[in-house]
Amino acid sequence: MGDPLNAVAWLADSLAEQGDGLKAGDVVLSGAITGAVPVAKGDSLHVSFSVLGSVGVCFS
């Protein structure tokens, strides 16, 4: 979507179409550190952050 503000605008519009919306204090994450990675059944991913620790996931 290019600019992260476009993603937030899309979210707000989509919620409004459903009769909902963003409220004061809602946290919206509009971007990512990396691009999306395609996964399939049987794939495993592990990531380690120097300060935060590690996390892993297996897709079954």
Side-chain angles (χ1 to χ4, degrees), residues 2-48:
D3 189 318
L5 291 177
N6 293 337
V8 175
W10 172 87
L11 174 62
D13 291 342
S14 295
L15 290 172
E17 288 174 4
Q18 299 174 30
D20 204 355
L22 297 172
K23 296 160 194 64
D26 284 350
V27 176
V28 177
L29 304 176
S30 62
I33 296 171
T34 66
V37 177
V39 295
K41 183 177 180 178
D43 288 349
S44 295
L45 300 173
H46 178 88
V47 63
S48 180

